Amino acid sequence: DTWRYAFEEALDEVQGKYAQKFKEEVEANSDHEVQLFPYGTLGESVDTMEQAQAGILQFVDQSPGFTGALIPEAQVFFVPYLLPQDDEELNEFFRTSKAINEMFPELYAEQGLELLKMFPEGDVCMTTQEPVKTPEDLNEVKFRVMTNPLLVESYKAFGATPTPLPWGEVYGAMQTGIIQGQENPGFYLESTKMYEVTEVITCIGHNNFTTAVMANKDFYDGLSDADKEVVQNASDAAFEYILEYQSGLQEKSLDNIAKAKPDMQINILSEEERQPFKDKAASVEEAFIEMTGDSGKEILDQFKADLEAVK
Ligand code: 6CS
């Protein structure tokens, strides 16, 4: 039989690489076939999530940036400056975190989803038309964010005017001036050619892009123990593969952008320059707790304990 798997990026982008590895592992170790549906073939992220919940898709990759309405606690990934900048530490956190590997699966299960893996996709940087050296520089900048209330709070706190949009509208909105800024990890800024429609890249170290891969829960529960093991092993293999794949990718992507567009300004802000953004962001954690109550607080506390454990 054929298992259908949709994701939010192209085949040769990070989610696509992960999906290809997953497919390869499943097909090498079982009689099942995995059919991959890259971004654009089945709609936007909200559409593929609906299809996965309805069982039309067996697997879906949807980033927490789009999961806020369904699972408010998933917005914890957008509390600024929570995730470490060090890759080793970050990878070990995703590998061992109790919040990610034990608590989130319960929340996804309530939505009919078997959470298989969460993994990081790279340090998120802003692309804008004008340089951003201080939060004041974001004043009056209409800044596209994923459709996630906490991300809206973050950019409000940074001083911008957040504008939630699905991915498909971003390039055009930037080109026509409806928005003047957006954020994404380096590889994505390169592959989607965001540098064609913006002039400045600014990295303030506020976040690493996280994504989540899940299965339709009824489908997963109906699998034999052997098939469940095939799925789990393929997820583990794809997870380790994608962490390795991303080693050095952020720097390489920014280099490639500099080559493709020599007058692109690329500013990696210093610790000192980041401090005002950190100060502004302190209120976002409170907003998260207000939005999610005890359940969110529990996740956030466990998150922090898990982060402490990998330091
Ligand atoms: O910004 C976005 O909407 C997209 N960014 C990434 C890195 N992956 C998929 C997502 O749709």
Side-chain angles (χ1 to χ4, degrees):
D1 58 343
T2 301
W3 294 346
R4 290 183 293 272
Y5 178 150
F7 46 99
E8 305 168 315
E9 295 173 6
L11 259 185
D12 58 359
E13 293 172 336
V14 172
Q15 289 182 19
K17 291 282 183 190
Y18 180 100
Q20 289 191 70
K21 181 69 179 174
F22 178 85
K23 169 185 165 75
E24 190 187 306
E25 291 288 322
V26 166
E27 292 180 353
N29 295 295
S30 73
D31 294 332
H32 306 290
E33 250 175 63
V34 179
Q35 189 181 4
L36 299 179
F37 294 92
Y39 177 73
T41 55
L42 295 175
E44 291 284 355
S45 297
V46 285
D47 303 313
T48 48
M49 179 58 114
E50 269 179 29
Q51 292 156 14
Q53 284 183 298
I56 300 166
L57 290 170
Q58 283 69 49
F59 298 95
V60 69
D61 185 328
Q62 190 193 52
S63 304
F66 297 109
T67 316
L70 202 61
I71 305 170
E73 293 88 343
Q75 299 180 105
V76 72
F77 290 99
F78 297 93
V79 173
Y81 296 105
L82 196 55
L83 293 175
Q85 287 273 288
D86 179 76
D87 283 346
E88 288 288 306
E89 209 175 301
L90 183 75
N91 293 348
E92 196 55 17
F93 167 70
F94 276 88
R95 228 177 248 128
T96 60
S97 165
K98 188 171 168 224
I100 289 179
N101 298 299
E102 291 174 35
M103 293 169 83
F104 271 119
E106 286 176 23
L107 296 171
Y108 278 78
E110 286 169 16
Q111 302 302 328
L113 299 161
E114 177 76 26
L115 179 63
L116 296 172
K117 235 17 137 187
M118 286 181 165
F119 60 90
E121 293 196 45
D123 197 26
V124 170
C125 299
M126 308 183 222
T127 59
T128 51
Q129 308 302 357
E130 303 288 337
V132 180
K133 287 297 178 70
T134 70
E136 285 67 43
D137 294 330
L138 285 170
N139 193 17
E140 305 284 298
V141 173
K142 285 208 202 73
F143 201 99
R144 180 268 174 170
V145 292
M146 289 185 282
T147 52
N148 176 313
L150 200 72
L151 204 42
V152 168
E153 288 304 317
S154 292
Y155 274 90
K156 261 193 208 155
F158 288 156
T161 305
T163 310
L165 286 176
W167 174 251
E169 292 175 37
V170 177
Y171 191 100
M174 194 72 84
Q175 200 169 29
T176 53
I178 292 169
I179 52 169
Q180 296 95 38
Q182 67 89 37
E183 58 160 36
N184 258 305
F187 83 89
Y188 206 64
L189 301 180
E190 183 194 356
S191 59
T192 62
K193 299 200 156 65
M194 269 299 119
Y195 55 85
E196 290 179 345
V197 288
T198 47
E199 304 300 328
V200 186
I201 293 178
T202 308
C203 304
I204 62 169
H206 66 302
N207 202 12
N208 199 294
F209 192 100
T210 295
T211 199
V213 179
M214 52 228 120
N216 172 286
K217 195 166 176 355
D218 289 337
F219 156 76
Y220 184 84
D221 288 344
L223 293 177
S224 66
D225 285 348
D227 279 342
K228 280 182 186 154
E229 205 181 317
V230 166
V231 169
Q232 292 297 337
N233 289 345
S235 300
D236 289 343
F239 175 77
E240 289 304 330
Y241 164 81
I242 207 64
L243 296 184
E244 181 63 33
Y245 172 79
Q246 290 182 77
S247 169
L249 185 62
Q250 179 80 2
E251 296 72 22
K252 201 162 63 190
S253 303
L254 295 182
D255 281 354
N256 289 343
I257 292 173
K259 276 185 205 124
K261 181 173 171 177
D263 58 355
M264 187 82 187
Q265 262 194 57
I266 302 180
N267 298 326
I268 317 277
L269 298 200
S270 66
E271 278 307 318
E272 210 182 333
E273 290 171 316
R274 288 175 186 195
Q275 195 56 49
F277 290 95
K278 286 189 188 169
D279 295 342
K280 295 270 183 200
S283 64
V284 181
E285 185 171 318
E286 285 160 38
F288 172 72
I289 293 169
E290 248 166 59
M291 278 178 198
T292 57
D294 289 345
S295 161
K297 174 99 176 47
E298 231 180 283
I299 288 265
L300 180 64
D301 288 344
Q302 186 61 49
F303 222 77
K304 287 181 176 174
D306 297 342
L307 285 165
E308 200 51 45
V310 297
K311 262 202 180 137

